Amino acid sequence: TLGTQTDYRDGEAQTDPYSPEYVVPNGSIPELLTLATLTWGRELPAGLAEVEMIERAREKRAWEATLPAMDSASHIAKRRKMMDDMERKEWAFREQEIEKLQEVRLEVLKKLLQRRVENQNEVDAKRLADHWHSHQKAKEEKIKKIQRDCVLMLRKLIAKRKNVMGKLERRDIIKEYTDFASQAYAPLSRIGYFPDNHSERYVVKSFYLETFAGLCQLEASLPDSVTQVEIKAPTPKYTTTKTGFIKRAARLEVELAQVHQALLEKKNKIKEPKKPLRLLVKVEKPVPRPPTPILEKPSIEEEETELAVIYLQKLLRGRAVQNMMFEGKEKHLELIQELRSTHALQEDRQLLLKAEEQMTLALRQQYNLEMHKLSSVEKHLASGEGRVLANMFDFLSKELVRLQEERRVHAFVMLAERQRRMREAEESGRRQIEERRRKEEDEIFKQAREGDCTIDSYLEDVILTSMENTAEEQARAEIQRMAVEINDIAYEMESRRSRLQSEEIVAELVYSFLIPEAEKMSMREKVRQSQRKHIYAAHQIIHGDTE
């Protein structure tokens, strides 16, 4: 009577479907009970494979119903032939299932291998691109460095070309201080002067700029015109429209007014006559410049010594620079050759470059051809190895499956043989008991009719009974020994197989052996009940006569 609203669906809250209790009436075998091993989550809800399994079980039950009884040799031979045919069909079906499973696994393996090859190709391509970018970056850096060195060397050569003769020039202080681009005003850092050092000495420190009180005092000392600016809109010189444009007529009027004013000024301008000089004008002489300082001329010997020392220094520095240039040339010989190749203008050099280029291309083509041959050979070898390995692994996997199936079939055969022997032993035991009982009843009835029982017959009966008991005990001991051996083999096979296979075997055993045996037992009970009244009447007659 109440309704609730939940956050989940019924399918999410439900665990397993409800299965009510059931009762099977006597004498009926419902087909639904053959699916008792299927549960929710395990082969339920049923799919195509489960439907095929159910159809095969139906066909097998129908085939079992058509098997002939084992009451004659012909029927037994026919039954054996039908069972062999069915076993071959089951083996063929099992081989088809194994082949389908292997095909599915092979497809999955192919997809995984293809995906791995694609991922490896992507990684190789990315690694190659990174390697190429790193080499390109190193090449660009080397080219930039060579260009910077080239510019530096050109500057040095230009500076040396200014003084080719090697004359000694003394410092001209006046020229340096008159040129604002000289070392006196703008020294270079490569000479050893760094203008950024001790720059804090030039920082302006003031009370009015660094403190709030100083700023307030500075603002109070300024006039109002500085802090409060008044801006007056300029009056237009020309008459404008509402939109802000100057009319053409107003512009013409202004231009005409300006021209008119200029003409009037030119017309009314009067040339003033030159006034005669009343007094002589004194020409002031400029202040004489101080005498230029004259340096003492050094002696010729000192000058020659200084020039010799300077020349020796130049030689040493030139040799050091030459050695450095030679080392740099040896280190960067490939780059120099590349630059020479780009700046080669002579015909002979161009021909040599073309010949070298053709030789390089031929060598590269030959190398590529050899690498292609090697790669093709390796590819063929790899394909052959892969084919051989695939065939070997396929053969090994099939052999493994075949051995497992042979062991399973052998276990099934041993289990069926054990069941057959147990049933034969039980049947022989029951047959012997029935025969003995029948003989006893016949003998009792015969003796009751004849009325005499001799000692020989009694001894014969005792001997026969002891022989039968001994044979029965030996048969039971032999059956128990074989049952123990078969049990060990069956337990070993049961430990290896899965739960689903065990349940399938149990279901086949139930429908192959237990149900027919139960029917036989019920029939025997009915026969025994129908014969019991006759046996009871015979017993009463025999016991009455003997008493």
Side-chain angles (χ1 to χ4, degrees), residues 18 58 87 179 185 200 287 349 368 389 451:
Y18 171 69
R58 287 178 177 175
E87 187 175 1
D179 187 9
Y185 294 100
E200 66 273 3
V287 179
R349 188 170 296 175
N368 292 332
L389 289 174

Side-chain angles (χ1 to χ4, degrees), residues 159-395:
K160 287 181 180 180
R161 193 175 295 170
K162 292 180 181 178
N163 191 7
V164 179
M165 302 302 295
K167 294 182 179 180
L168 181 63
E169 294 182 0
R170 297 188 178 277
R171 181 183 178 188
D172 192 354
I173 300 175
I174 297 172
K175 185 178 179 181
E176 287 182 359
Y177 277 92
T178 55
D179 187 9
F180 293 100
S182 63
Q183 298 291 326
Y185 294 100
L188 298 175
S189 60
R190 66 171 176 265
I191 298 175
Y193 181 78
F194 300 96
D196 293 336
N197 290 345
H198 306 290
S199 60
E200 66 273 3
R201 293 182 295 180
Y202 307 107
V203 177
V204 179
K205 297 181 180 179
S206 176
F207 168 76
Y208 297 102
L209 298 176
E210 293 182 352
T211 60
F212 181 71
L215 288 173
C216 293
Q217 187 176 356
L218 181 63
E219 186 177 1
S221 64
L222 294 175
D224 295 338
S225 60
V226 177
T227 57
Q228 298 177 1
V229 182
E230 293 182 1
I231 300 173
K232 295 181 180 179
T235 56
K237 297 181 181 180
Y238 313 108
T239 56
T240 58
T241 60
K242 293 181 180 181
T243 57
F245 293 99
I246 301 173
K247 293 182 179 180
R248 185 180 295 176
R251 192 184 298 111
L252 291 174
E253 287 179 0
V254 172
E255 291 176 356
L256 288 173
Q258 290 177 355
V259 171
H260 181 66
Q261 186 68 27
L263 290 173
L264 288 176
E265 290 177 355
K266 188 175 182 180
K267 184 178 180 180
N268 296 329
K269 187 176 180 181
I270 300 172
K271 295 183 179 179
E272 296 180 357
K274 294 183 179 180
K275 295 181 180 180
L277 296 175
R278 295 181 181 180
L279 300 172
L280 293 174
V281 180
K282 183 179 179 180
V283 178
E284 296 182 356
K285 293 182 179 181
V287 179
R289 297 179 64 182
T292 304
I294 299 172
L295 297 175
E296 295 181 0
K297 188 175 182 181
S299 62
I300 297 174
E301 294 179 356
E302 292 179 355
E303 189 171 358
E304 289 179 354
T305 304
E306 188 175 359
L307 288 174
V309 171
I310 292 171
Y311 185 71
L312 184 60
Q313 290 178 354
K314 286 183 179 180
L315 284 176
L316 294 174
R317 289 176 182 171
R319 177 59 65 182
V321 171
Q322 188 177 2
N323 291 332
M324 291 174 62
M325 289 179 65
F326 183 74
E327 291 178 359
K329 181 175 76 75
E330 292 295 330
K331 288 182 180 178
H332 306 287
L333 186 61
E334 295 180 357
L335 296 174
I336 291 171
Q337 290 179 358
E338 185 178 356
L339 290 173
R340 284 181 179 176
S341 64
T342 55
H343 295 85
L345 299 175
Q346 299 178 0
E347 294 182 358
D348 297 337
R349 188 170 296 175
Q350 288 180 358
L351 292 174
L352 290 174
L353 289 174
K354 287 182 179 179
E356 290 179 358
E357 185 178 359
Q358 291 178 358
M359 186 183 298
T360 305
L361 290 174
L363 291 173
R364 183 176 297 175
Q365 188 175 5
Q366 185 177 1
Y367 176 74
N368 292 332
L369 185 61
E370 291 179 356
M371 291 300 294
H372 180 67
K373 289 181 180 178
L374 288 174
S375 63
S376 63
V377 171
E378 290 178 356
K379 189 184 296 181
H380 289 304
L381 290 175
S383 63
E385 291 176 358
R387 194 180 302 109
V388 172
L389 289 174
N391 293 331
M392 183 176 66
F393 288 150
D394 186 20
F395 175 74

